[in-house]
Amino acid sequence: MTLTIENVVKKFGTFTAVDHLSISIPEREMFGFLGANGAGKTTTFRMILGLLEPTSGTITWNQHAINYETSNIIGYLPEERGLYPKLKVREQLIYLGRLRGMKKPDIIKEMRLWLERFKITDYENKKVEELSKGNQQKIQFIASVIHNPQLLILDEPFSGLDPVNVELLKNAVIDLKNKGTSIVFSSHRMEHVEELCEHLCIMHHGKPVVHGALKEIKRSFGKKNVSIQADFDLSFLKEVEGVVKVKERSGGVTLQIEREEISMELFNRLQGKGFVRKFVLEEPSLNDIFIEKVGAAYHE
């Protein structure tokens, strides 16, 4: 089961929201879909859901056209939440499950499994507006997966959650992936994408500016980071040729360097200056890559 977006363009009048996008998302994979606000992510999601028609290009699921008729196989957690505040959790999930073609006993069974998993069984008969923002988010998540979708689109799924609940939801998402669900995951939190996704696409003004396997993207970026902690002033290192960026941190610095070999020069410059607590050569973070690639696109 593969989601394939091929040469998709979406125009609104003279404005091009999505510009020749081509990506493929295989089964049992979490695919990172990134971009600043206005990059074209939500428009792409709406086309996958069959809510918008592409101006040109094709979107297929397992080589069959994807449209409003296939929405039962898709789960969607939108960034703008969409629960009914006055409805009780139980009524809400039964209503949304029925819209997905489920029978009431099956909905109740699935609902109770999820409420138990998320440690919120007491909330079955509470109105949504009585719940905290984090618990509303859990209900919204349950609504998007209660029908066991083959394809799941998660738009900022962890926003508004504390670290404990982020882990709860993250583990649920990983379980769904391992059971065979294809997941498109969008987030502004780069560390979550880095942890969960093997492949990704960074969009900017409707076009993919970075696309491929995370490992390959990092490798081809070329630049590396060096984290150093020491008991003396490290500001002199920013003068070393090949150091392109300096971030000061408590007790040390992180330096972005043009290539790996510069780390040897940095290491040599530290000799005899004092006690070095930490010296680590690291891969560039996805955050570094995002800022550079999207930042470069802003200035084109």
Side-chain angles (χ1 to χ4, degrees):
M1 300 284 183
T2 307
L3 175 70
T4 306
I5 298 172
E6 205 167 334
N7 219 16
V8 164
V9 174
K10 180 62 185 174
K11 295 189 176 193
F12 297 98
T14 56
F15 175 68
T16 303
V18 176
D19 193 355
H20 294 94
L21 176 64
S22 293
I23 53 176
S24 183
I25 297 153
E27 189 178 29
R28 291 177 191 267
E29 181 154 325
M30 216 176 310
F31 186 95
F33 202 60
L34 312 176
N37 295 331
K41 302 190 303 292
T42 303
T43 301
T44 302
F45 293 157
R46 287 175 180 160
M47 288 190 286
I48 294 169
L49 291 162
L51 299 172
L52 287 175
E53 284 283 319
T55 306
S56 62
T58 57
I59 299 175
T60 57
W61 173 253
N62 207 25
Q63 300 175 334
H64 295 292
I66 201 166
N67 52 41
Y68 202 59
E69 301 299 312
T70 55
S71 63
N72 279 0
I73 63 165
I74 303 174
Y76 180 41
L77 178 75
E79 185 176 6
E80 314 81 17
R81 308 306 176 215
L83 296 172
Y84 299 101
K86 302 288 181 193
L87 272 187
K88 289 180 180 174
V89 166
R90 174 192 169 93
E91 294 166 350
Q92 181 122 233
L93 290 172
I94 289 171
Y95 171 65
L96 294 170
R98 292 300 296 271
L99 286 179
R100 297 293 197 181
M102 294 177 75
K103 292 186 169 65
K104 188 174 172 179
D106 297 333
I107 298 167
I108 291 169
K109 184 183 165 197
E110 282 292 318
M111 173 190 73
R112 288 187 174 150
L113 285 171
W114 279 108
L115 292 176
E116 200 172 313
R117 176 166 189 159
F118 286 159
K119 302 176 173 51
I120 49 171
T121 48
D122 303 352
Y123 298 155
E124 183 178 328
N125 290 303
K126 282 199 173 184
K127 288 181 182 175
V128 167
E129 64 185 2
E130 295 167 11
L131 272 53
S132 69
K133 191 179 174 188
N135 285 327
Q136 285 185 23
Q137 177 70 338
K138 289 178 185 175
I139 301 303
Q140 183 92 51
F141 179 85
I142 294 169
S144 68
V145 300
I146 198 160
H147 59 300
N148 291 310
Q150 296 171 37
L151 172 66
L152 177 61
I153 299 170
L154 300 174
D155 197 355
E156 296 293 339
F158 306 134
S159 68
L161 294 178
D162 60 58
V164 172
N165 282 321
V166 166
E167 284 307 306
L168 259 183
L169 229 69
K170 208 189 279 179
N171 290 332
V173 170
I174 290 166
D175 279 357
L176 287 167
K177 182 193 84 161
N178 292 339
K179 284 175 185 166
T181 305
S182 303
I183 299 170
V184 182
F185 175 74
S186 179
S187 177
H188 291 300
R189 297 288 299 275
M190 298 296 151
E191 70 275 18
H192 290 153
V193 179
E194 211 154 352
E195 182 186 345
L196 295 168
C197 303
E198 292 166 54
H199 291 81
L200 60 96
C201 174
I202 299 176
M203 298 271 287
H204 184 65
H205 289 334
K207 290 182 179 179
V209 289
V210 174
H211 177 216
L214 181 59
K215 282 180 185 170
E216 293 305 317
I217 290 166
K218 286 191 167 196
R219 198 171 292 137
S220 64
F221 187 64
K223 300 183 183 76
K224 305 277 182 186
N225 290 336
V226 180
S227 285
I228 307 168
Q229 287 186 350
D231 290 352
F232 53 92
D233 182 19
L234 296 166
S235 58
F236 69 95
L237 293 174
K238 62 186 170 197
E239 307 303 332
V240 173
E241 195 178 334
V243 172
V244 289
K245 218 181 264 182
V246 180
K247 267 189 200 163
E248 294 191 15
R249 306 196 182 280
S250 62
V253 291
T254 298
L255 308 168
Q256 192 180 78
I257 57 175
E258 281 176 355
R259 56 191 186 282
E260 210 168 282
E261 298 75 45
I262 308 237
S263 62
M264 281 304 297
E265 177 62 20
L266 294 170
F267 192 75
N268 291 336
R269 295 280 186 108
L270 294 170
Q271 303 310 309
K273 294 278 196 307
F275 186 60
V276 177
R277 296 181 178 280
K278 175 184 170 187
F279 186 96
V280 182
L281 178 67
E282 300 166 333
E283 289 288 340
S285 71
L286 185 53
N287 205 52
D288 295 331
I289 296 167
F290 183 90
I291 288 168
E292 178 147 325
K293 296 292 184 183
V294 171
Y298 268 115
H299 296 111
E300 282 176 2

PDB file of all heavy atoms in Angstrom, residues 30-61:
ATOM      1  N   MET A  30       6.729   6.246   8.518  1.00  0.00           N
ATOM      2  CA  MET A  30       6.307   7.572   8.916  1.00  0.00           C
ATOM      3  C   MET A  30       7.104   8.567   8.086  1.00  0.00           C
ATOM      4  O   MET A  30       8.329   8.571   8.120  1.00  0.00           O
ATOM      5  CB  MET A  30       6.564   7.791  10.402  1.00  0.00           C
ATOM      6  CG  MET A  30       5.482   8.632  11.021  1.00  0.00           C
ATOM      7  SD  MET A  30       5.637   8.855  12.796  1.00  0.00           S
ATOM      8  CE  MET A  30       5.874   7.202  13.386  1.00  0.00           C
ATOM      9  N   PHE A  31       6.399   9.369   7.321  1.00  0.00           N
ATOM     10  CA  PHE A  31       7.028  10.293   6.381  1.00  0.00           C
ATOM     11  C   PHE A  31       6.882  11.706   6.928  1.00  0.00           C
ATOM     12  O   PHE A  31       5.775  12.167   7.205  1.00  0.00           O
ATOM     13  CB  PHE A  31       6.339  10.163   5.021  1.00  0.00           C
ATOM     14  CG  PHE A  31       6.986  10.962   3.920  1.00  0.00           C
ATOM     15  CD1 PHE A  31       7.916  10.373   3.071  1.00  0.00           C
ATOM     16  CD2 PHE A  31       6.660  12.300   3.727  1.00  0.00           C
ATOM     17  CE1 PHE A  31       8.501  11.100   2.046  1.00  0.00           C
ATOM     18  CE2 PHE A  31       7.237  13.039   2.713  1.00  0.00           C
ATOM     19  CZ  PHE A  31       8.169  12.438   1.867  1.00  0.00           C
ATOM     20  N   GLY A  32       7.987  12.406   7.104  1.00  0.00           N
ATOM     21  CA  GLY A  32       7.962  13.772   7.622  1.00  0.00           C
ATOM     22  C   GLY A  32       7.639  14.775   6.524  1.00  0.00           C
ATOM     23  O   GLY A  32       8.271  14.770   5.472  1.00  0.00           O
ATOM     24  N   PHE A  33       6.649  15.608   6.771  1.00  0.00           N
ATOM     25  CA  PHE A  33       6.227  16.611   5.787  1.00  0.00           C
ATOM     26  C   PHE A  33       6.336  17.975   6.461  1.00  0.00           C
ATOM     27  O   PHE A  33       5.544  18.304   7.338  1.00  0.00           O
ATOM     28  CB  PHE A  33       4.790  16.303   5.369  1.00  0.00           C
ATOM     29  CG  PHE A  33       4.403  16.881   4.047  1.00  0.00           C
ATOM     30  CD1 PHE A  33       5.075  16.536   2.883  1.00  0.00           C
ATOM     31  CD2 PHE A  33       3.348  17.780   3.950  1.00  0.00           C
ATOM     32  CE1 PHE A  33       4.716  17.060   1.653  1.00  0.00           C
ATOM     33  CE2 PHE A  33       2.970  18.311   2.728  1.00  0.00           C
ATOM     34  CZ  PHE A  33       3.661  17.953   1.580  1.00  0.00           C
ATOM     35  N   LEU A  34       7.351  18.736   6.065  1.00  0.00           N
ATOM     36  CA  LEU A  34       7.706  19.945   6.805  1.00  0.00           C
ATOM     37  C   LEU A  34       7.609  21.185   5.943  1.00  0.00           C
ATOM     38  O   LEU A  34       7.683  21.120   4.726  1.00  0.00           O
ATOM     39  CB  LEU A  34       9.143  19.837   7.329  1.00  0.00           C
ATOM     40  CG  LEU A  34       9.513  18.534   8.042  1.00  0.00           C
ATOM     41  CD1 LEU A  34      10.983  18.533   8.400  1.00  0.00           C
ATOM     42  CD2 LEU A  34       8.672  18.367   9.281  1.00  0.00           C
ATOM     43  N   GLY A  35       7.522  22.319   6.612  1.00  0.00           N
ATOM     44  CA  GLY A  35       7.516  23.590   5.901  1.00  0.00           C
ATOM     45  C   GLY A  35       7.017  24.677   6.823  1.00  0.00           C
ATOM     46  O   GLY A  35       6.271  24.422   7.769  1.00  0.00           O
ATOM     47  N   ALA A  36       7.459  25.898   6.558  1.00  0.00           N
ATOM     48  CA  ALA A  36       6.973  27.036   7.332  1.00  0.00           C
ATOM     49  C   ALA A  36       5.492  27.242   7.016  1.00  0.00           C
ATOM     50  O   ALA A  36       4.956  26.637   6.078  1.00  0.00           O
ATOM     51  CB  ALA A  36       7.784  28.285   6.985  1.00  0.00           C
ATOM     52  N   ASN A  37       4.821  28.097   7.793  1.00  0.00           N
ATOM     53  CA  ASN A  37       3.412  28.388   7.519  1.00  0.00           C
ATOM     54  C   ASN A  37       3.271  28.925   6.096  1.00  0.00           C
ATOM     55  O   ASN A  37       4.074  29.745   5.655  1.00  0.00           O
ATOM     56  CB  ASN A  37       2.877  29.418   8.522  1.00  0.00           C
ATOM     57  CG  ASN A  37       2.863  28.854   9.934  1.00  0.00           C
ATOM     58  OD1 ASN A  37       2.720  27.654  10.117  1.00  0.00           O
ATOM     59  ND2 ASN A  37       3.027  29.701  10.929  1.00  0.00           N
ATOM     60  N   GLY A  38       2.260  28.432   5.385  1.00  0.00           N
ATOM     61  CA  GLY A  38       2.046  28.891   4.014  1.00  0.00           C
ATOM     62  C   GLY A  38       2.863  28.144   2.976  1.00  0.00           C
ATOM     63  O   GLY A  38       2.899  28.519   1.804  1.00  0.00           O
ATOM     64  N   ALA A  39       3.510  27.041   3.391  1.00  0.00           N
ATOM     65  CA  ALA A  39       4.372  26.299   2.455  1.00  0.00           C
ATOM     66  C   ALA A  39       3.588  25.398   1.508  1.00  0.00           C
ATOM     67  O   ALA A  39       4.119  24.935   0.515  1.00  0.00           O
ATOM     68  CB  ALA A  39       5.382  25.459   3.239  1.00  0.00           C
ATOM     69  N   GLY A  40       2.321  25.120   1.834  1.00  0.00           N
ATOM     70  CA  GLY A  40       1.504  24.252   0.970  1.00  0.00           C
ATOM     71  C   GLY A  40       1.157  22.912   1.595  1.00  0.00           C
ATOM     72  O   GLY A  40       0.567  22.049   0.935  1.00  0.00           O
ATOM     73  N   LYS A  41       1.501  22.722   2.891  1.00  0.00           N
ATOM     74  CA  LYS A  41       1.257  21.419   3.543  1.00  0.00           C
ATOM     75  C   LYS A  41      -0.245  21.129   3.659  1.00  0.00           C
ATOM     76  O   LYS A  41      -0.703  20.064   3.271  1.00  0.00           O
ATOM     77  CB  LYS A  41       1.899  21.392   4.943  1.00  0.00           C
ATOM     78  CG  LYS A  41       3.384  21.631   4.984  1.00  0.00           C
ATOM     79  CD  LYS A  41       3.951  21.345   6.362  1.00  0.00           C
ATOM     80  CE  LYS A  41       3.329  22.131   7.484  1.00  0.00           C
ATOM     81  NZ  LYS A  41       3.612  23.576   7.460  1.00  0.00           N
ATOM     82  N   THR A  42      -0.993  22.076   4.223  1.00  0.00           N
ATOM     83  CA  THR A  42      -2.419  21.834   4.472  1.00  0.00           C
ATOM     84  C   THR A  42      -3.175  21.643   3.163  1.00  0.00           C
ATOM     85  O   THR A  42      -4.061  20.781   3.067  1.00  0.00           O
ATOM     86  CB  THR A  42      -3.027  22.990   5.303  1.00  0.00           C
ATOM     87  OG1 THR A  42      -2.267  23.102   6.517  1.00  0.00           O
ATOM     88  CG2 THR A  42      -4.469  22.730   5.667  1.00  0.00           C
ATOM     89  N   THR A  43      -2.823  22.411   2.135  1.00  0.00           N
ATOM     90  CA  THR A  43      -3.453  22.238   0.817  1.00  0.00           C
ATOM     91  C   THR A  43      -3.200  20.823   0.300  1.00  0.00           C
ATOM     92  O   THR A  43      -4.103  20.161  -0.225  1.00  0.00           O
ATOM     93  CB  THR A  43      -2.899  23.281  -0.182  1.00  0.00           C
ATOM     94  OG1 THR A  43      -3.161  24.584   0.331  1.00  0.00           O
ATOM     95  CG2 THR A  43      -3.544  23.140  -1.552  1.00  0.00           C
ATOM     96  N   THR A  44      -1.963  20.331   0.485  1.00  0.00           N
ATOM     97  CA  THR A  44      -1.629  18.966   0.058  1.00  0.00           C
ATOM     98  C   THR A  44      -2.468  17.946   0.829  1.00  0.00           C
ATOM     99  O   THR A  44      -3.015  17.002   0.242  1.00  0.00           O
ATOM    100  CB  THR A  44      -0.124  18.688   0.265  1.00  0.00           C
ATOM    101  OG1 THR A  44       0.628  19.661  -0.471  1.00  0.00           O
ATOM    102  CG2 THR A  44       0.255  17.296  -0.205  1.00  0.00           C
ATOM    103  N   PHE A  45      -2.587  18.138   2.149  1.00  0.00           N
ATOM    104  CA  PHE A  45      -3.396  17.223   2.962  1.00  0.00           C
ATOM    105  C   PHE A  45      -4.846  17.197   2.463  1.00  0.00           C
ATOM    106  O   PHE A  45      -5.467  16.142   2.373  1.00  0.00           O
ATOM    107  CB  PHE A  45      -3.375  17.629   4.431  1.00  0.00           C
ATOM    108  CG  PHE A  45      -2.031  17.469   5.098  1.00  0.00           C
ATOM    109  CD1 PHE A  45      -1.705  18.204   6.226  1.00  0.00           C
ATOM    110  CD2 PHE A  45      -1.094  16.576   4.604  1.00  0.00           C
ATOM    111  CE1 PHE A  45      -0.479  18.054   6.842  1.00  0.00           C
ATOM    112  CE2 PHE A  45       0.146  16.427   5.208  1.00  0.00           C
ATOM    113  CZ  PHE A  45       0.447  17.169   6.335  1.00  0.00           C
ATOM    114  N   ARG A  46      -5.382  18.359   2.145  1.00  0.00           N
ATOM    115  CA  ARG A  46      -6.787  18.421   1.693  1.00  0.00           C
ATOM    116  C   ARG A  46      -6.979  17.740   0.346  1.00  0.00           C
ATOM    117  O   ARG A  46      -8.045  17.190   0.077  1.00  0.00           O
ATOM    118  CB  ARG A  46      -7.244  19.884   1.650  1.00  0.00           C
ATOM    119  CG  ARG A  46      -7.463  20.432   3.061  1.00  0.00           C
ATOM    120  CD  ARG A  46      -7.806  21.894   3.081  1.00  0.00           C
ATOM    121  NE  ARG A  46      -7.993  22.341   4.463  1.00  0.00           N
ATOM    122  CZ  ARG A  46      -7.937  23.605   4.856  1.00  0.00           C
ATOM    123  NH1 ARG A  46      -7.687  24.554   3.977  1.00  0.00           N
ATOM    124  NH2 ARG A  46      -8.108  23.925   6.128  1.00  0.00           N
ATOM    125  N   MET A  47      -5.945  17.779  -0.474  1.00  0.00           N
ATOM    126  CA  MET A  47      -6.029  17.045  -1.757  1.00  0.00           C
ATOM    127  C   MET A  47      -5.966  15.545  -1.519  1.00  0.00           C
ATOM    128  O   MET A  47      -6.688  14.773  -2.155  1.00  0.00           O
ATOM    129  CB  MET A  47      -4.908  17.505  -2.703  1.00  0.00           C
ATOM    130  CG  MET A  47      -5.133  18.898  -3.265  1.00  0.00           C
ATOM    131  SD  MET A  47      -3.984  19.325  -4.596  1.00  0.00           S
ATOM    132  CE  MET A  47      -2.459  19.612  -3.707  1.00  0.00           C
ATOM    133  N   ILE A  48      -5.109  15.096  -0.582  1.00  0.00           N
ATOM    134  CA  ILE A  48      -5.025  13.665  -0.256  1.00  0.00           C
ATOM    135  C   ILE A  48      -6.375  13.176   0.273  1.00  0.00           C
ATOM    136  O   ILE A  48      -6.828  12.069  -0.035  1.00  0.00           O
ATOM    137  CB  ILE A  48      -3.908  13.398   0.785  1.00  0.00           C
ATOM    138  CG1 ILE A  48      -2.531  13.703   0.184  1.00  0.00           C
ATOM    139  CG2 ILE A  48      -3.954  11.945   1.275  1.00  0.00           C
ATOM    140  CD1 ILE A  48      -1.394  13.725   1.219  1.00  0.00           C
ATOM    141  N   LEU A  49      -7.054  14.020   1.052  1.00  0.00           N
ATOM    142  CA  LEU A  49      -8.346  13.648   1.638  1.00  0.00           C
ATOM    143  C   LEU A  49      -9.496  13.705   0.632  1.00  0.00           C
ATOM    144  O   LEU A  49     -10.603  13.285   0.942  1.00  0.00           O
ATOM    145  CB  LEU A  49      -8.663  14.588   2.814  1.00  0.00           C
ATOM    146  CG  LEU A  49      -7.778  14.421   4.052  1.00  0.00           C
ATOM    147  CD1 LEU A  49      -7.875  15.638   4.946  1.00  0.00           C
ATOM    148  CD2 LEU A  49      -8.148  13.166   4.822  1.00  0.00           C
ATOM    149  N   GLY A  50      -9.229  14.243  -0.551  1.00  0.00           N
ATOM    150  CA  GLY A  50     -10.292  14.365  -1.545  1.00  0.00           C
ATOM    151  C   GLY A  50     -11.175  15.573  -1.332  1.00  0.00           C
ATOM    152  O   GLY A  50     -12.229  15.702  -1.953  1.00  0.00           O
ATOM    153  N   LEU A  51     -10.763  16.486  -0.444  1.00  0.00           N
ATOM    154  CA  LEU A  51     -11.556  17.694  -0.197  1.00  0.00           C
ATOM    155  C   LEU A  51     -11.272  18.763  -1.248  1.00  0.00           C
ATOM    156  O   LEU A  51     -12.091  19.653  -1.469  1.00  0.00           O
ATOM    157  CB  LEU A  51     -11.248  18.257   1.207  1.00  0.00           C
ATOM    158  CG  LEU A  51     -11.557  17.319   2.375  1.00  0.00           C
ATOM    159  CD1 LEU A  51     -11.035  17.891   3.682  1.00  0.00           C
ATOM    160  CD2 LEU A  51     -13.056  17.073   2.470  1.00  0.00           C
ATOM    161  N   LEU A  52     -10.081  18.700  -1.850  1.00  0.00           N
ATOM    162  CA  LEU A  52      -9.710  19.609  -2.937  1.00  0.00           C
ATOM    163  C   LEU A  52      -9.243  18.786  -4.131  1.00  0.00           C
ATOM    164  O   LEU A  52      -8.601  17.755  -3.952  1.00  0.00           O
ATOM    165  CB  LEU A  52      -8.554  20.531  -2.508  1.00  0.00           C
ATOM    166  CG  LEU A  52      -8.817  21.667  -1.515  1.00  0.00           C
ATOM    167  CD1 LEU A  52      -7.509  22.342  -1.168  1.00  0.00           C
ATOM    168  CD2 LEU A  52      -9.801  22.686  -2.074  1.00  0.00           C
ATOM    169  N   GLU A  53      -9.553  19.246  -5.320  1.00  0.00           N
ATOM    170  CA  GLU A  53      -9.083  18.593  -6.545  1.00  0.00           C
ATOM    171  C   GLU A  53      -7.762  19.227  -6.975  1.00  0.00           C
ATOM    172  O   GLU A  53      -7.661  20.459  -7.007  1.00  0.00           O
ATOM    173  CB  GLU A  53     -10.110  18.811  -7.670  1.00  0.00           C
ATOM    174  CG  GLU A  53     -11.340  17.946  -7.560  1.00  0.00           C
ATOM    175  CD  GLU A  53     -11.073  16.511  -7.996  1.00  0.00           C
ATOM    176  OE1 GLU A  53     -10.372  16.303  -9.000  1.00  0.00           O
ATOM    177  OE2 GLU A  53     -11.555  15.609  -7.298  1.00  0.00           O
ATOM    178  N   PRO A  54      -6.748  18.440  -7.324  1.00  0.00           N
ATOM    179  CA  PRO A  54      -5.531  19.042  -7.873  1.00  0.00           C
ATOM    180  C   PRO A  54      -5.841  19.741  -9.198  1.00  0.00           C
ATOM    181  O   PRO A  54      -6.715  19.300  -9.953  1.00  0.00           O
ATOM    182  CB  PRO A  54      -4.599  17.846  -8.121  1.00  0.00           C
ATOM    183  CG  PRO A  54      -5.179  16.703  -7.347  1.00  0.00           C
ATOM    184  CD  PRO A  54      -6.645  16.969  -7.257  1.00  0.00           C
ATOM    185  N   THR A  55      -5.129  20.832  -9.465  1.00  0.00           N
ATOM    186  CA  THR A  55      -5.257  21.502 -10.768  1.00  0.00           C
ATOM    187  C   THR A  55      -4.689  20.593 -11.854  1.00  0.00           C
ATOM    188  O   THR A  55      -5.228  20.485 -12.948  1.00  0.00           O
ATOM    189  CB  THR A  55      -4.514  22.856 -10.738  1.00  0.00           C
ATOM    190  OG1 THR A  55      -4.998  23.610  -9.616  1.00  0.00           O
ATOM    191  CG2 THR A  55      -4.735  23.650 -12.009  1.00  0.00           C
ATOM    192  N   SER A  56      -3.569  19.942 -11.534  1.00  0.00           N
ATOM    193  CA  SER A  56      -3.013  18.927 -12.430  1.00  0.00           C
ATOM    194  C   SER A  56      -2.194  17.946 -11.601  1.00  0.00           C
ATOM    195  O   SER A  56      -1.884  18.199 -10.442  1.00  0.00           O
ATOM    196  CB  SER A  56      -2.146  19.562 -13.521  1.00  0.00           C
ATOM    197  OG  SER A  56      -1.043  20.244 -12.952  1.00  0.00           O
ATOM    198  N   GLY A  57      -1.848  16.798 -12.216  1.00  0.00           N
ATOM    199  CA  GLY A  57      -1.120  15.762 -11.488  1.00  0.00           C
ATOM    200  C   GLY A  57      -2.078  14.751 -10.884  1.00  0.00           C
ATOM    201  O   GLY A  57      -3.303  14.900 -10.961  1.00  0.00           O
ATOM    202  N   THR A  58      -1.524  13.694 -10.278  1.00  0.00           N
ATOM    203  CA  THR A  58      -2.365  12.624  -9.725  1.00  0.00           C
ATOM    204  C   THR A  58      -1.956  12.264  -8.298  1.00  0.00           C
ATOM    205  O   THR A  58      -0.784  12.356  -7.930  1.00  0.00           O
ATOM    206  CB  THR A  58      -2.268  11.337 -10.577  1.00  0.00           C
ATOM    207  OG1 THR A  58      -0.890  10.940 -10.633  1.00  0.00           O
ATOM    208  CG2 THR A  58      -2.805  11.554 -11.968  1.00  0.00           C
ATOM    209  N   ILE A  59      -2.959  11.854  -7.518  1.00  0.00           N
ATOM    210  CA  ILE A  59      -2.727  11.327  -6.170  1.00  0.00           C
ATOM    211  C   ILE A  59      -3.383   9.950  -6.134  1.00  0.00           C
ATOM    212  O   ILE A  59      -4.587   9.821  -6.391  1.00  0.00           O
ATOM    213  CB  ILE A  59      -3.325  12.235  -5.081  1.00  0.00           C
ATOM    214  CG1 ILE A  59      -2.679  13.628  -5.143  1.00  0.00           C
ATOM    215  CG2 ILE A  59      -3.120  11.630  -3.698  1.00  0.00           C
ATOM    216  CD1 ILE A  59      -3.271  14.641  -4.188  1.00  0.00           C
ATOM    217  N   THR A  60      -2.589   8.911  -5.861  1.00  0.00           N
ATOM    218  CA  THR A  60      -3.141   7.554  -5.836  1.00  0.00           C
ATOM    219  C   THR A  60      -2.765   6.833  -4.549  1.00  0.00           C
ATOM    220  O   THR A  60      -1.725   7.108  -3.941  1.00  0.00           O
ATOM    221  CB  THR A  60      -2.642   6.716  -7.038  1.00  0.00           C
ATOM    222  OG1 THR A  60      -1.201   6.695  -7.027  1.00  0.00           O
ATOM    223  CG2 THR A  60      -3.119   7.277  -8.352  1.00  0.00           C
ATOM    224  N   TRP A  61      -3.650   5.922  -4.147  1.00  0.00           N
ATOM    225  CA  TRP A  61      -3.393   5.030  -3.018  1.00  0.00           C
ATOM    226  C   TRP A  61      -3.383   3.617  -3.570  1.00  0.00           C
ATOM    227  O   TRP A  61      -4.380   3.150  -4.117  1.00  0.00           O
ATOM    228  CB  TRP A  61      -4.467   5.191  -1.942  1.00  0.00           C
ATOM    229  CG  TRP A  61      -4.348   4.189  -0.840  1.00  0.00           C
ATOM    230  CD1 TRP A  61      -5.162   3.113  -0.620  1.00  0.00           C
ATOM    231  CD2 TRP A  61      -3.357   4.148   0.184  1.00  0.00           C
ATOM    232  NE1 TRP A  61      -4.740   2.413   0.477  1.00  0.00           N
ATOM    233  CE2 TRP A  61      -3.621   3.023   0.996  1.00  0.00           C
ATOM    234  CE3 TRP A  61      -2.252   4.949   0.501  1.00  0.00           C
ATOM    235  CZ2 TRP A  61      -2.844   2.684   2.094  1.00  0.00           C
ATOM    236  CZ3 TRP A  61      -1.473   4.608   1.597  1.00  0.00           C
ATOM    237  CH2 TRP A  61      -1.777   3.494   2.377  1.00  0.00           C
TER     238      TRP A  61
END
